[in-house]
Amino acid sequence: VNKHKPWIETSYHGIITENNDTVILDPPLVALDKDAPVPFAGEICAFKIHGQEMPFEAVVLNKTSGEGRLRAKSPIDCELQKEYTFIIQAYDCGSGPGGTNWKKSHKAVVHIQVKDVNEFSPAFKESVYKATVTEGKIYDSILQVEAIDEDCSPQYSQICNYEIVTTDVPFAIDRNGNIRNTEKLSYDKQHQYEIMVTAFDCGQKHATEDVLVRVNVKPVCKPGWQDWNKRIEYRPGSGSIPLFPSIHLETCDGPVSSIHTTIELQTNYIGKGCDRETYSEKSLQKLCGASSGAIDLLPSPSTTTNWTAGLLMDSNDIIFKFDGKQGAKIPDGIVPKNLTDQFTITLWMKHGPSPGLRAEKETILCNSDKTEMNRHHYALYVHNCRLVFLLRKDFDQADTFRPAEFHWKLDQICDKEWHYYVVNVEFPVVTLYMDGTTYEPYLVTNDWPIHPSHIAMQLTVGACWQGGEVTKPRFAQYFHGSLASLTIRPGKIESQKVISCLQACKEGLDINSLESLGQGIKYHFNPSQSVLVMEGDDIENINQALRKVSYINSRQFPTAGVRRLKVSSKVQCFGEDVCISIPDIDAYVMVFQANEPKITITGMDHFARPAAQFESERGVILLPDIRIVSTVTKMEHPVDLRERDRANKQVVVEEMLHNLDFCDVLVIGAELDPEQECLELDHGELQGKHLDATNSTAGYSIYGVDSMFSYEQVLRQLRYRNWGTSATSDRKFRVKCSELNGRYTSNEFNLEVNILHSSNSNFMDHVNHMIVQPQFLQSVQHPEGSVSAVHNSVVPSVATIVIIICVSILVFVITLGVYRIRTAHQHSSAEHEGAKENEMDWDDSALTITVNPMEKYEKPHQTEEESEEEDIDDEEEDTTSAESDDSEEEEEEEEVIVQKGDKQNATRQEQL
């Protein structure tokens, strides 16, 4: 009989691992029945679970012992439900096999907890994280990244660590995902950082995908000029180019009341302080309208000016460097002894502080006794950074004190920079111009006049000649520094206008469209236009004004290289002296090398004239058709940019116009004999031009800065006279021209002139009508400013025409003689035919015809000779004037050969 109901625990706690079906219960699932061991009534047949759709089931493992097991009917997912609670009851088997009269236990509570498995990886909430920081700061946290994990348990769902994957970045991250910078960031160094970050859960499972973090660095607002280029390129001939076309000032919203800006072009290391014309001092003075008569004491070394040959020299700019060991003696006769009461000394000087505590005098120019005594008649020297001019007047009736030493104290004398000095002497007043500015002497000392003596004087440069008070005369008081363009002009002083022109720079700062600067802008240039000061109240007006500042170089062939630029600014704010600081701009202008011109001289290079023309009062014009052309070679880039081959660039030769500064017509061979020959030029031809000329037995020199056309006009009027022609048969001349004092030189154009004496005059009568033929002497006219290829016109010389006539007459005489000989002797000689034909062959260098009178004349040969004569005449017209001398000599040889003949055939000679 089933008397008792089963018994189970009142509560159970179970754990199930997700994705598993076994539940581990505590205590174990066991039901007891007091009816045991009665069959059926004491056995446990089932466990029943009460609850809605519970995913569990309980099974009986052993009916007798009442042991059971709780298991999951389907996979359990912790992420869906972490815990389950339900009621369970045990049932016995009843009173018989049919299970009737079964009894059930009391209800027991079962609480099951699902155990998590780390199946999910962390994932970041955002795909990209962005942040912006200001440079120069250290942040505790720039931004926070956050990752999540879908696991259900705290162990696997919590993020325990974050890590920066990108290496070598100035950032760190903590366990909470806060990113901070480890050092101060710089906008100039890097504008943006991109870093990759990963996350780990507490099970040390890392994120499947790293996240990108962008950190933008924002510059601190720095006051200063913005949007300018450090390098500005300048090509010769560009005119005026803006230096800072897009510049503007950033003031960081400061309350600005005024802006003061200084733009400085630093060119003190270019040439003599800036880019100036490198013409000779004589040419420059002529160009600037200076009085004539200046004597160059430091010219380029040459055969006539050899006293500068031993000095250290920079040949590009004719700069002489004195190292305290050198001096130059000016030969006697170069400078007159009496300079009069008015004269001018000009020079460029670069000088530094004098060495030593008690500095000695450093002589620039000195005129002292050559021997016996040590008296200085006049001198210009530097002493303790003072410029001193000494002038001791000669003794006359008034034996009184007179001004003798004039002292100037200027900082520029020892600043190691180039400066232009002009000493104007109007005794007793002496005025100094330094870089165009007038300076009066701060000290004038008087001295007695020098008594006259028979002692000769020595003029020196770079040191003073000590002729007395020493055992052997020598140099003393050496100069340390650089000198250039040292001239002295006796009898005249220079005007302020000429002095300003002589020292003017050819490069400088400029302002485009001054009228558009605006009312609120004040500006000021220094005299050389290397410094520009601008001031204004409005920032935008200053920006606009600075954009108009430009660089200009008016030289056609400027000195290539770097010109440094410095822009310094001061800003004032309302109620404050100085509110913000503006950094200086350091930039530079890169001046490119100009295309090098090729100067070519062409014209008639050989002619002959009768002696009577050379002996006439006007003489003979040497260069009637001389032509001076300058060309420049340029590389033309192909239009198709895809063609990168340099071979595709076409070379283009263009004619260009520029000035010349001298042309020399030199005599080749023996110098001119002034007793019987000379070169002449009407000085009226030089009027209205910046040209001057000097004449000597070595040739004729025309100098001054002027156009090639002006030089052509003057050279075409140069005449050669020879009133002793009997001793001269020919003369050779050479023409050479220069630009920029020899920086660019022309070809050497050689001219040969033949003097035809009376023996040749009979030929001239026949060719006078052929001397001037329009078709020969028409020169190709090139209008000024045109750009075209250079064409050299070949003009045949008179000598060529004379040769043609002479050869024609000679061939006629020879043909007539041969005809008569061969008429007398009718037998032919076949052996001589080949020899005759060879002898009658034409030599390209000159006419060579040799006729053997012993040859027999035959009819068929006559036509051959006539045809050969026609060919000879045609070819003779193509011979050049350079062949004429050889032709004349060979013609004389022909006559001798024909006249000698064979002594055994006197009759044949008479017939010939």
Side-chain angles (χ1 to χ4, degrees):
V1 178
N2 190 4
K3 295 180 179 180
H4 301 91
K5 58 182 179 180
W7 177 90
I8 58 174
E9 298 286 347
T10 57
S11 65
Y12 292 90
H13 290 277
I15 295 176
I16 184 171
T17 303
E18 65 175 335
N19 301 324
N20 201 342
D21 62 349
T22 303
V23 180
I24 301 171
L25 285 176
D26 181 27
L29 182 60
V30 177
L32 301 176
D33 197 323
K34 290 182 179 181
D35 292 327
V38 178
F40 298 109
E43 294 178 344
I44 303 301
C45 274
F47 291 98
K48 287 189 179 180
I49 295 173
H50 302 281
Q52 292 182 354
E53 298 180 0
M54 285 296 156
F56 296 99
E57 63 180 359
V59 295
V60 177
L61 298 178
N62 191 324
K63 290 182 178 182
T64 304
S65 63
E67 186 179 351
R69 187 175 70 177
L70 189 65
R71 65 185 180 188
K73 291 189 291 185
S74 60
I76 302 299
D77 190 351
C78 178
E79 283 73 38
L80 293 177
Q81 191 167 340
K82 296 180 182 180
E83 296 177 345
Y84 292 90
T85 302
F86 53 85
I87 303 297
I88 190 170
Q89 284 180 306
Y91 290 79
D92 60 15
C93 295
S95 56
T100 57
N101 299 322
W102 49 262
K103 292 186 182 296
K104 60 182 178 180
S105 69
H106 62 269
K107 294 180 179 179
V109 177
V110 179
H111 182 77
I112 296 176
Q113 188 173 6
V114 182
K115 186 178 179 182
D116 189 20
V117 174
N118 194 4
E119 58 184 332
F120 292 98
S121 299
F124 288 95
K125 288 186 174 181
E126 305 286 343
S127 59
V128 177
Y129 288 89
K130 298 178 181 178
T132 301
V133 297
T134 303
E135 64 174 345
K137 285 185 178 182
I138 294 290
Y139 289 82
D140 293 332
S141 176
I142 296 173
L143 79 160
Q144 184 181 24
V145 296
E146 187 178 358
I148 56 173
D149 195 315
E150 294 183 358
D151 289 312
C152 64
S153 65
Q155 180 183 2
Y156 298 135
S157 65
Q158 285 187 357
I159 307 299
C160 281
N161 195 21
Y162 291 92
E163 190 175 295
I164 294 176
V165 179
T166 309
T167 57
D168 298 328
V169 289
F171 297 96
I173 191 168
D174 62 13
R175 298 182 63 172
N176 296 321
N178 293 304
I179 297 176
R180 61 183 175 84
N181 57 320
T182 57
E183 62 183 51
K184 292 180 180 180
L185 305 180
S186 170
Y187 177 81
D188 295 332
K189 183 180 178 182
Q190 195 164 338
H191 295 356
Q192 186 187 71
Y193 291 88
E194 292 189 347
I195 55 178
M196 302 301 293
V197 175
T198 190
F200 293 89
D201 61 19
C202 295
Q204 291 303 304
K205 194 166 189 174
H206 66 80
T208 54
E209 290 187 6
D210 300 334
V211 71
L212 173 64
V213 179
R214 283 199 183 99
V215 179
N216 294 309
V217 182
K218 184 175 69 174
V220 174
C221 183
K222 295 179 180 177
W225 296 103
Q226 296 184 356
D227 295 337
W228 53 273
N229 293 323
K230 188 176 183 68
R231 174 186 170 107
I232 302 107
E233 295 183 350
Y234 186 87
R235 299 188 180 277
S238 301
S240 179
I241 62 163
L243 296 173
F244 310 111
S246 304
I247 198 168
H248 69 275
L249 182 64
E250 176 62 65
T251 60
C252 297
D253 299 327
V256 174
S257 62
S258 67
I259 306 169
H260 184 277
T261 301
T262 303
I263 306 104
E264 182 180 0
L265 181 69
Q266 299 173 340
T267 59
N268 51 353
Y269 48 90
I270 300 292
K272 294 192 286 287
C274 72
D275 208 1
R276 294 181 169 90
E277 295 292 6
T278 54
Y279 295 116
S280 68
E281 190 65 17
K282 271 189 176 181
S283 298
L284 275 178
Q285 289 180 349
K286 187 74 178 175
L287 187 65
C288 288
S291 307
S292 59
I295 302 163
D296 195 353
L297 300 181
L298 285 176
S300 298
S302 66
T303 53
T304 55
T305 58
N306 57 1
W307 64 85
T308 58
L311 300 178
L312 297 173
M313 179 182 174
D314 182 351
S315 56
N316 289 335
D317 298 302
I318 323 177
I319 294 170
F320 293 88
K321 299 179 181 178
F322 294 87
D323 56 3
K325 300 175 183 177
Q326 294 174 314
K329 290 183 183 180
I330 311 298
D332 296 340
I334 298 294
V335 178
K337 292 182 180 179
N338 183 17
L339 295 177
T340 73
D341 284 343
Q342 285 191 345
F343 61 92
T344 302
I345 299 173
T346 65
L347 72 146
W348 283 96
M349 182 175 74
K350 180 181 179 182
H351 182 265
S354 305
L357 293 174
R358 295 190 62 188
E360 292 187 355
K361 296 178 180 178
E362 297 181 53
T363 300
I364 300 168
L365 179 68
C366 179
N367 190 33
S368 59
D369 290 331
K370 188 176 286 189
T371 57
E372 299 182 28
M373 301 182 73
N374 189 29
R375 298 177 302 174
H376 294 186
H377 297 265
Y378 62 86
L380 184 65
Y381 60 89
V382 175
H383 188 211
N384 285 326
C385 291
R386 290 164 174 79
L387 187 68
V388 183
F389 178 65
L390 169 70
L391 179 61
R392 300 284 302 279
K393 298 297 289 183
D394 290 335
F395 178 82
D396 57 13
Q397 288 78 12
D399 189 6
T400 58
F401 260 13
R402 297 184 180 182
E405 281 190 357
F406 304 83
H407 299 249
W408 293 271
K409 185 178 180 181
L410 302 171
D411 294 336
Q412 291 88 339
I413 294 170
C414 288
D415 65 358
K416 295 183 181 179
E417 304 289 350
W418 280 105
H419 298 286
Y420 188 59
Y421 299 86
V422 177
V423 179
N424 263 355
V425 179
E426 278 185 292
F427 194 80
V429 176
V430 178
T431 305
L432 172 70
Y433 293 88
M434 198 271 298
D435 292 339
T437 306
T438 310
Y439 295 91
E440 298 296 333
Y442 81 95
L443 175 64
V444 178
T445 59
N446 296 339
D447 205 344
W448 295 102
I450 293 179
H451 286 268
S453 68
H454 63 283
I455 302 171
M457 291 180 286
Q458 177 65 60
L459 183 60
T460 56
V461 173
C464 199
W465 185 253
Q466 190 169 355
E469 302 175 3
V470 289
T471 55
K472 183 181 179 182
R474 59 179 175 83
F475 279 121
Q477 300 175 2
Y478 289 100
F479 181 74
H480 298 77
S482 298
L483 298 175
S485 305
L486 176 60
T487 67
I488 189 166
R489 178 181 286 102
K492 291 184 180 178
I493 62 171
E494 282 305 353
S495 66
Q496 176 84 36
K497 181 180 178 182
V498 171
I499 292 170
S500 298
C501 173
L502 288 172
Q503 61 96 34
C505 284
K506 292 297 180 180
E507 65 178 342
L509 299 173
D510 192 18
I511 297 180
N512 294 331
S513 60
L514 280 170
E515 64 279 358
S516 62
L517 268 187
Q519 298 293 329
I521 301 295
K522 299 176 184 177
Y523 69 93
H524 171 70
F525 281 103
N526 70 334
S528 62
Q529 286 197 213
S530 62
V531 177
L532 169 62
V533 179
M534 304 176 73
E535 192 172 352
D537 301 334
D538 183 71
I539 296 176
E540 188 54 38
N541 282 350
I542 283 286
N543 290 340
Q544 293 289 346
L546 199 54
R547 289 170 195 160
K548 298 178 187 301
V549 177
S550 57
Y551 169 81
I552 187 169
N553 193 317
S554 59
R555 290 191 66 192
Q556 195 168 10
F557 305 105
T559 303
V562 169
R563 314 292 198 272
R564 295 193 186 99
L565 272 171
K566 185 175 183 180
V567 180
S568 54
S569 305
K570 290 182 180 179
V571 177
Q572 289 190 335
C573 296
F574 292 102
E576 300 178 29
D577 293 337
V578 177
C579 54
I580 56 177
S581 177
I582 306 294
D584 292 346
I585 290 179
D586 287 313
Y588 64 92
V589 179
M590 184 68 205
V591 179
F592 288 103
Q593 184 76 46
N595 289 321
E596 189 165 327
K598 181 182 179 183
I599 307 169
T600 307
I601 303 175
T602 57
M604 183 168 60
D605 59 0
H606 191 171
F607 68 84
R609 295 285 189 277
Q613 291 190 21
F614 290 96
E615 294 171 356
S616 67
E617 183 180 351
R618 296 289 293 173
V620 172
I621 292 178
L622 275 184
L623 305 160
D625 60 346
I626 190 169
R627 175 97 175 122
I628 306 172
V629 177
S630 182
T631 57
V632 64
T633 303
K634 295 182 179 179
M635 298 296 290
E636 192 175 72
H637 296 265
V639 177
D640 190 354
L641 296 177
R642 289 174 294 180
E643 298 179 10
R644 296 180 180 270
D645 189 2
R646 292 179 65 88
N648 291 331
K649 296 177 183 177
Q650 298 180 351
V651 177
V652 178
V653 179
E654 294 181 351
E655 184 175 337
M656 70 180 304
L657 298 174
H658 59 77
N659 291 328
L660 300 175
D661 60 352
F662 71 79
C663 282
D664 289 338
V665 181
L666 303 174
V667 179
I668 302 176
E671 293 190 358
L672 297 176
D673 183 0
E675 299 293 330
Q676 63 178 22
E677 56 184 339
C678 69
L679 290 171
E680 289 182 345
L681 179 69
D682 292 337
H683 279 272
E685 299 294 336
L686 303 176
Q687 289 182 358
K689 302 178 178 70
H690 297 294
L691 298 179
D692 212 337
T694 56
N695 193 2
S696 70
T697 56
Y700 212 96
S701 180
I702 302 165
Y703 60 89
V705 183
D706 215 325
S707 65
M708 292 182 286
F709 179 71
S710 295
Y711 270 91
E712 283 180 2
Q713 285 183 313
V714 174
L715 287 171
R716 287 173 183 172
Q717 303 303 319
L718 185 64
R719 304 186 307 278
Y720 171 60
R721 285 184 60 205
N722 190 324
W723 53 93
T725 56
S726 58
T728 310
S729 61
D730 62 356
R731 264 294 183 193
K732 294 181 180 179
F733 300 92
R734 176 174 295 152
V735 184
K736 191 173 183 179
C737 294
S738 151
E739 163 67 336
L740 293 175
N741 204 25
R743 179 176 170 187
Y744 306 116
T745 56
S746 71
N747 62 314
E748 293 184 348
F749 176 75
N750 294 318
L751 169 67
E752 184 175 347
V753 178
N754 292 113
I755 301 175
L756 300 177
H757 298 288
S758 56
S759 59
N760 299 328
S761 62
N762 57 337
F763 297 115
M764 293 302 297
D765 296 337
H766 298 285
V767 300
N768 277 343
H769 66 286
M770 298 180 67
I771 289 177
V772 181
Q773 291 289 346
Q775 63 267 33
F776 290 147
L777 293 184
Q778 281 179 354
S779 59
V780 181
Q781 297 295 326
H782 297 274
E784 289 194 40
S786 67
V787 180
S788 63
V790 181
H791 302 286
N792 294 341
S793 60
V794 179
V795 182
S797 65
V798 178
T800 305
I801 301 169
V802 174
I803 296 303
I804 294 172
I805 302 303
C806 292
V807 171
S808 301
I809 296 172
L810 181 61
V811 171
F812 176 79
V813 172
I814 293 171
T815 306
L816 183 62
V818 172
Y819 177 81
R820 294 183 62 184
I821 291 170
R822 295 193 178 184
T823 306
H825 304 279
Q826 293 297 322
H827 63 279
S828 63
S829 179
E831 303 85 60
H832 297 285
E833 288 180 16
K836 176 181 178 294
E837 289 178 0
N838 290 336
E839 288 167 355
M840 290 298 289
D841 283 345
W842 178 259
D843 184 3
D844 288 336
S845 63
L847 175 65
T848 306
I849 303 175
T850 307
V851 179
N852 188 346
M854 301 302 294
E855 287 185 354
K856 299 295 184 290
Y857 171 81
E858 288 184 0
K859 258 304 196 219
H861 293 188
Q862 182 180 1
T863 58
E864 290 178 12
E865 288 170 1
E866 289 173 356
S867 64
E868 285 174 2
E869 287 164 14
E870 292 172 1
D871 293 340
I872 289 167
D873 290 342
D874 293 337
E875 292 181 20
E876 184 63 22
E877 292 176 0
D878 296 331
T879 59
T880 63
S881 58
E883 299 167 351
S884 60
D885 293 344
D886 296 336
S887 300
E888 290 175 359
E889 292 173 3
E890 289 172 6
E891 286 164 19
E892 292 172 5
E893 290 174 7
E894 291 167 14
E895 292 176 2
V896 173
I897 292 170
V898 173
Q899 287 171 2
K900 284 184 179 179
D902 191 343
K903 292 182 181 180
Q904 297 176 357
N905 299 289
T907 307
R908 293 171 186 168
Q909 287 183 5
E910 290 172 2
Q911 292 174 348
L912 179 61

